[in-house]
Amino acid sequence: MSPEKVRAFPIDRQLFLVREVAAKLDNLHGETAASFWRAKAAELLDLVVGSGRDRATASDEVRRFFLAVQRELSAGLAAEPTPILSA
C-alpha cells in the first residue's frame, strides 16, 4: 500500500489515550493542569503533523481530542455516586 493511502487513526478516537489524559487532568488543578494540557497538546500536535497532516488540520484534530477528554471528564463526574445528605 502506498503511503498516500495510509491514514492514521484520529487521536480523539483513541479511547485509551483520551482516558489516560482525562484521568491525569482529573487529578490536577489550576496552573498545573493548564501546564500539563499545554505540554500534551504540543506533543500531540507534533505527533499529528509528523504523521503527514498540515498544521491547521492537526490543530483541529488536537481540538477534537480536547473535546473528547472533556466529555470523558464529564462522564466520569456523572458516574460518581452522589452523597446523600441528611438534615
Side-chain angles (χ1 to χ4, degrees):
M1 183 177 287
S2 67
E4 299 84 41
K5 294 185 182 205
V6 175
R7 299 190 96 187
F9 196 66
I11 57 174
D12 64 305
R13 311 281 302 282
Q14 296 180 27
L15 194 52
F16 178 80
L17 182 60
V18 168
R19 287 182 175 165
E20 179 181 53
V21 171
K24 180 75 172 176
L25 280 173
D26 196 34
N27 291 316
L28 299 174
H29 303 285
E31 184 53 37
T32 306
S35 180
F36 168 77
W37 172 248
R38 283 191 298 270
K40 181 55 76 174
E43 174 188 326
L44 292 172
L45 184 63
D46 288 344
L47 178 75
V48 176
V49 168
S51 73
R53 290 183 184 78
D54 64 83
R55 201 151 188 86
T57 302
S59 291
D60 287 341
E61 190 165 336
V62 172
R63 200 172 353 273
R64 285 191 308 273
F65 178 81
F66 181 68
L67 292 173
V69 169
Q70 290 296 315
R71 282 191 301 272
E72 184 67 25
L73 285 167
S74 294
L77 290 175
E80 289 180 10
T82 305
I84 298 173
L85 302 175
S86 59

